Amino acid sequence: MTGLLGQELGLTPLGGLDGIPRTDTPQKAKDFTSDQEVRWCPGCGDYVILAAVRSLLPELGIRRENIVFVSGIGCSSRFPYYLDTYGVHSIHGRAPTLATGLAVTRPDLSVWVVTGDGDALSIGGNHLVHTLRRNVNMRILLFNNRIYGLTKGQFSPTSELGKVTKSTPAGSVDAPFNTMSLALGAEATFVARALDSDREGLKEVLRAAARHRGTAFVEILQDCPIFNDGSFDVLRKDEAPAHLIRLRHGEPIVFGVDDELCVVQRGFGLRVERRVDVDPSDIVVHDAYTDDPEYVYALSRLSDQDLTYTVVGIVRQVTRTTYDDAARDQIARARETEAADLQALLAGDNTWTVS
């Protein structure tokens, strides 16, 4: 699927790594490890994510000086210090804004944003949704631990109803964001989710995000052992098979112990049913490349009377012209067709003199 804007401008979408200088020198994870001491709380899920990113970057085969990580404010936002690439520790919620400027002006960079549920979805909510809508060529890694960790345990925009925290001693009355539904509603071209404890699944998602051209949104469910310990235990322990749905493009959506559960389409929506009760041909085969927004939105909100299901893997991966490609093309066309005359602009018909 190529966006209408791209068709009008005659642009052809490229791969996420196209135009970025490559290296012929073999790289290892240690080549992307800075000399800074990693300082997160013991047991924090951020350690696993950092290790996964460090092991992924050598696979991309691009020069370290052509990679930049931009972060906002929060525990996750210390990320750029621990990578031997370029990095920007920016201001609260505004990392996508700085990253947009880099993506537009420096097409030779692989741009990454590291943010948290508080940083991205509270003060940074406006910046996040418009970056997704514009489809700027960057990767956004949202670390979701359902709590404010850096400021010592206040509820966040993803904390569950009734959550007791230092700022909600009687329980939160805020309805939390469904982050995946939010990203899909903003027309993100790449939407995925992973668990910090599933390193292989996390790397698989990150690998695809790195190669996607456009805004790749990856939510990573991670534990805060100090202020929200065990927030995702239901997805890790014995109960996990009944709650966790792993998506793979082109494969039937089945899950549970011995794959006894499946996803089927009923009417205009999706439902979870027992496989023994349905015809095999009714089981939904996951299509990450579909341009059907209703299907992927329904996947992000699977639930029944008793359970809420969590999908992990790549939910959506489609192609649309990126904002930065379109902006650079527009500037190039203007330079070809219009003479730059600053004086004529200043003294033109759109100016007047106040006496």
Side-chain angles (χ1 to χ4, degrees):
M1 186 270 291
T2 301
L4 179 60
L5 177 61
Q7 296 176 19
E8 291 175 348
L9 296 179
L11 298 176
T12 301
L14 304 171
L17 300 178
D18 286 2
I20 301 176
R22 316 285 290 184
T23 178
D24 295 327
T25 304
Q27 297 171 322
K28 297 181 180 179
K30 66 179 182 180
D31 296 323
F32 291 90
T33 302
S34 76
D35 60 358
Q36 298 298 300
E37 178 187 359
V38 181
R39 300 183 66 183
W40 286 309
C41 299
C44 178
D46 291 0
Y47 285 98
V48 179
I49 304 171
L50 176 62
V53 170
R54 281 176 175 171
S55 64
L56 168 73
L57 293 177
E59 295 182 18
L60 304 181
I62 56 181
R63 294 162 42 181
R64 288 181 299 147
E65 56 267 39
N66 291 92
I67 302 172
V68 59
F69 281 78
V70 184
S71 66
I73 298 297
C75 295
S76 63
S77 295
R78 299 183 64 82
F79 214 81
Y81 293 104
Y82 308 138
L83 291 169
D84 197 6
T85 65
Y86 279 109
V88 179
H89 193 173
S90 69
I91 55 180
H92 207 183
R94 273 68 173 185
T97 307
L98 275 72
T100 295
L102 282 169
V104 171
T105 58
R106 290 290 303 273
D108 60 325
L109 296 179
S110 177
V111 180
W112 298 69
V113 167
V114 177
T115 184
D117 47 298
D119 185 57
L121 298 173
S122 186
I123 191 171
N126 181 61
H127 301 275
L128 175 67
V129 296
H130 287 293
T131 301
L132 298 173
R133 173 181 65 85
R134 288 169 171 156
N135 196 36
V136 185
N137 188 33
M138 70 175 74
R139 282 119 290 285
I140 299 177
L141 310 184
L142 189 149
F143 297 12
N144 183 7
N145 57 18
R146 294 179 174 174
I147 202 77
Y148 276 95
L150 186 67
T151 50
K152 307 300 185 284
Q154 298 80 17
F155 81 108
S156 88
T158 58
S159 296
E160 62 270 27
L161 278 170
K163 183 71 173 180
V164 175
T165 72
K166 293 178 180 179
S167 55
T168 54
S172 171
V173 296
D174 272 13
F177 272 126
N178 180 321
T179 52
M180 186 168 282
S181 297
L182 177 72
L184 291 166
E187 299 292 340
T189 55
F190 183 105
V191 178
R193 179 188 284 142
L195 277 166
D196 60 354
S197 57
D198 179 13
R199 184 163 175 175
E200 289 306 311
L202 175 58
K203 278 193 64 176
E204 181 179 337
V205 164
L206 293 176
R207 188 178 294 115
R211 289 174 166 80
H212 178 73
R213 192 166 192 87
T215 306
F217 176 84
V218 179
E219 178 189 19
I220 306 172
L221 308 181
Q222 52 100 205
D223 200 32
C224 175
I226 305 302
F227 298 109
N228 203 19
D229 192 27
S231 56
F232 296 109
D233 277 358
V234 71
L235 304 178
R236 310 179 199 274
K237 297 183 178 179
D238 294 339
E239 302 92 342
H243 295 263
L244 192 65
I245 302 175
R246 298 184 183 277
L247 299 176
R248 290 188 179 278
H249 175 73
E251 295 185 8
I253 306 178
V254 296
F255 65 104
V257 179
D258 298 325
D259 289 339
E260 81 276 18
L261 300 173
C262 64
V263 174
V264 297
Q265 185 162 4
R266 294 287 183 256
F268 293 104
L270 300 178
R271 288 181 52 185
V272 173
E273 296 187 6
R274 298 171 63 220
R275 287 181 70 184
V276 295
D277 298 331
V278 304
D279 189 294
S281 62
D282 289 338
I283 299 175
V284 172
V285 176
H286 180 48
D287 182 4
Y289 305 137
T290 181
D291 196 26
D292 180 1
E294 288 81 8
Y295 164 69
V296 289
Y297 190 78
L299 273 181
S300 73
R301 308 188 72 82
L302 276 172
S303 63
D304 61 25
Q305 292 180 344
D306 303 313
L307 294 175
T308 296
Y309 304 99
T310 299
V311 296
V312 295
I314 300 171
V315 177
R316 187 185 198 215
Q317 184 176 7
V318 296
T319 300
R320 192 174 78 235
T321 299
T322 68
Y323 174 88
D324 43 299
D325 282 335
R328 286 190 296 269
D329 183 78
Q330 187 178 67
I331 292 170
R333 289 171 182 264
R335 285 173 173 169
E336 291 175 357
T337 58
E338 300 177 16
D341 188 341
L342 182 60
Q343 187 58 40
L345 178 64
L346 292 175
D349 295 337
N350 291 325
T351 64
W352 60 92
T353 301
V354 177
S355 61

